[in-house]
């Protein structure tokens, strides 16, 4: 495969710090760097915005593939960063990634001292991501962090293909729970509420594709894509879901009609 | 009819100022007072929270039935009352009714001077209303405003029966648009948006029963009762409605799943 050859060439002789979440993109980058580069350290910043199981999963995977892995606990919810984010919720990705970048830079500098060689920081941003609204990408650029998949124009689908080709099972995608909170403040309680609501909804409706539960001032907004929205279109299901969501702590439960 | 006899007795010899909206309850009270009392002045306070057509309708009805009618323009949206209401949106009914009561008291005092007789202020609150959450009722009580329908235990259904018996066609119910605004501030623009959205929805879906469009921080929340919610349960209708609501100015369109 052409793209795989390019990746091999990209990492040749490189020492890399990988911003590693345990998702398929950063897993591929980590594996490529480990196989074809000189040394690879996978760094996961635990910012408190992902379900706990995510961190556990990332550790499991790095063990399975023999990856040197460091988890840095920078739980924003428990420090002053969350104040900055809550003051400017629209910019949360940018703010968050800047703090994460600083952690990665620190790790790079340590590695640089150890090897006395150039060390590159890379992340899992793929080519498709460039065409979405991802304000975090810019923050990483400012810190000189590179995105091999995007640079080599490797798309989401190709990431899957390469992982399959390598015999690596594709990890389930998890996205940042902070994106579910539509008005400040982001709090641990609210993140847990949307997480519980999504868990329930997925199993209750048997959802397989994209769906989200967001919190707007205590109102739970359910988004389900058009291929699966029929699964919720039933008044008795409305009632069951509303009841459960109230138990979880929402004061109102609504189904998003646009974006379908 | 027993209740009609009681009403007749209630208004005998009374001079009344009626808080008159043009709705069925206050219309009945006005007619009873006019038929059986000594003198009746219907007063409509235009607070800016009802569609303009409401005021026009109330004038039409008073002309049709020969009612002395005064419209007092106290458009809260254009004066300092709206600030007080926006600071304490949960108390809006109470605050609003207090200002309305002051207008009615002024009218009563004028009438008292003219007739040199006792004048009573009455409103259209019926017996069923007492069992709902109507914080405005208390404000009226504080100003000594009486509710003949509630006092005589006349229910909504009986109001309809009596009007039918009298050959009076029952006016369409309109409710205060301020109840649609779930977060401050109440503004003319937001009231117009929910009004337009409700107009559209009623005709697009052919709704006959209870439904509401509320505004939570720019998100349009559609509430439709269970008997008619099936009329909206269709993805292509979701799309049409969302498109229209975005044109009206909402940034998101959702269907309320609880309260059904």
């Amino acid at each position: 495969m052409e793209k795989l050859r390019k990746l091999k060439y990209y990492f040749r002789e490189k020492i890399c710090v990988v911003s590693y979440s345990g998702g398929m993109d950063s897993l591929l980058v980590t594996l490529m760097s480990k196989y074809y580069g000189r040394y690879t350290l996978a760094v996961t910043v635990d910012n408190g915005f992902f379900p706990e199981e995510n961190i556990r999963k990332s550790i499991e995977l790095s063990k399975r593939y023999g990856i040197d892995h460091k988890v840095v606990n920078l739980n924003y919810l428990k420090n002053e960063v969350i104040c900055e984010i809550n003051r400017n919720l629209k910019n949360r990705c940018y703010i968050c990634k800047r703090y994460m970048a600083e952690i990665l830079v620190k790790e790079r500098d340590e590695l640089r001292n150890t090897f006395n060689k150039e060390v590159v920081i890379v992340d899992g941003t793929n080519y498709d991501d460039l065409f979405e609204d991802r304000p975090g990408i810019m923050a990483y650029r400012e810190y000189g962090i590179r995105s091999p998949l995007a640079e080599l124009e490797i798309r989401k689908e190709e990431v899957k293909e390469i992982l399959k080709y390598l015999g690596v099972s594709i990890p389930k995608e998890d996205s940042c729970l902070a994106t579910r909170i539509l008005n400040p403040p982001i709090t641990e309680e609210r993140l847990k509420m949307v997480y519980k609501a999504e868990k329930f909804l997925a199993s209750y409706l048997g959802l397989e594709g994209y769906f989200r539960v967001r919190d707007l001032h205590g109102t739970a907004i359910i988004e389900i894509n058009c291929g699966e929205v029929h699964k919720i279109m039933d008044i008795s299901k409305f009632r069951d879901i509303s009841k459960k969501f109230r138990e979880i702590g929402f004061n109102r439960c609504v189904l998003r009609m646009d974006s379908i």
Side-chain angles (χ1 to χ4, degrees), chain A:
Chain A
M1 279 165 95
E2 176 62 15
K3 295 273 164 95
L4 192 53
R5 240 193 331 272
K6 280 185 181 169
L7 276 168
K8 192 171 173 173
Y9 184 79
Y10 187 99
F11 286 105
R12 206 180 46 178
E13 294 298 312
K14 275 200 179 74
I15 301 168
C16 287
V17 167
V18 187
S19 176
Y20 168 71
S21 67
M24 68 172 102
D25 299 307
S26 64
L27 177 62
L28 178 61
V29 170
T30 307
L31 291 174
M32 293 293 96
S33 175
K34 181 182 153 65
Y35 294 166
Y36 304 123
R38 187 180 236 185
Y39 178 72
T40 303
L41 177 65
V43 175
T44 302
V45 181
D46 180 4
N47 60 12
F49 291 167
F50 285 81
E52 275 168 42
E53 63 192 47
N54 250 53
I55 305 294
R56 277 202 305 278
K57 235 173 47 190
S58 76
I59 295 170
E60 265 172 45
L61 281 172
S62 57
K63 274 188 187 152
R64 185 185 308 163
Y65 296 107
I67 298 163
D68 284 354
H69 182 198
K70 193 167 175 179
V71 177
V72 181
N73 202 296
L74 178 69
N75 193 325
Y76 296 161
L77 292 162
K78 286 169 185 144
N79 69 28
E80 72 280 0
V81 176
I82 195 71
C83 298
E84 192 180 339
I85 288 175
N86 281 330
R87 270 199 306 276
N88 191 353
L89 199 60
K90 287 219 168 114
N91 247 348
R92 65 169 186 279
C93 280
Y94 178 77
I95 296 167
C96 171
K97 286 275 182 181
R98 251 180 31 219
Y99 282 94
M100 287 176 73
E102 278 172 17
I103 300 290
L104 297 166
V105 164
K106 221 156 79 184
E107 295 298 329
R108 180 197 62 195
D109 292 348
E110 274 181 32
L111 224 55
R112 205 181 253 165
N113 288 339
T114 311
F115 285 91
N116 201 22
K117 291 262 183 200
E118 190 50 44
V119 177
V120 189
I121 311 173
V122 292
D123 80 343
T125 304
N126 65 45
Y127 192 58
D128 289 324
D129 293 336
L130 299 183
F131 302 96
E132 287 180 17
D133 182 33
R134 301 255 173 143
I137 295 176
M138 197 169 65
Y140 268 25
R141 290 293 163 275
E142 287 171 16
Y143 283 81
I145 296 170
R146 296 182 58 179
S147 303
L149 302 177
E151 286 175 39
L152 300 175
E153 301 191 2
I154 296 174
R155 318 189 78 120
K156 196 89 192 157
E157 279 310 308
E158 291 170 315
V159 170
K160 285 184 191 167
E161 276 171 38
I162 298 171
L163 285 173
K164 259 188 213 163
Y165 176 79
L166 298 171
V168 174
S169 63
I170 291 160
K172 212 181 126 277
E173 283 298 274
D174 272 305
S175 81
C176 174
L177 291 175
T179 61
R180 315 297 201 275
I181 309 301
L182 298 178
N183 68 295
I186 298 176
T187 64
E188 209 165 338
E189 197 198 350
R190 295 179 80 192
L191 293 177
K192 275 189 182 153
M193 278 165 60
V194 291
Y195 176 67
K196 276 188 207 165
E198 287 189 359
K199 274 272 179 197
F200 166 76
L201 210 60
S203 80
Y204 181 75
L205 295 176
L207 298 174
E208 286 157 8
Y210 171 93
F211 78 98
R212 294 282 185 267
V213 176
R214 303 192 200 269
D215 177 344
L216 177 68
H217 294 272
T219 293
I221 300 178
I222 298 172
E223 292 176 16
I224 302 180
N225 72 13
C226 55
E228 291 194 288
V229 76
H230 66 273
K231 293 181 179 175
I232 200 174
M233 294 286 228
D234 175 311
I235 299 177
S236 75
K237 282 184 188 162
F238 274 18
R239 288 205 181 104
D240 284 355
I241 295 165
S242 300
K243 192 168 162 269
K244 181 71 185 176
F245 276 34
R246 279 177 182 273
E247 280 168 26
I248 289 171
F250 291 105
N251 56 38
R252 202 185 276 118
C253 179
V254 303
L255 172 64
R256 189 154 173 181
M257 293 168 51
D258 45 9
S259 86
I260 282 172

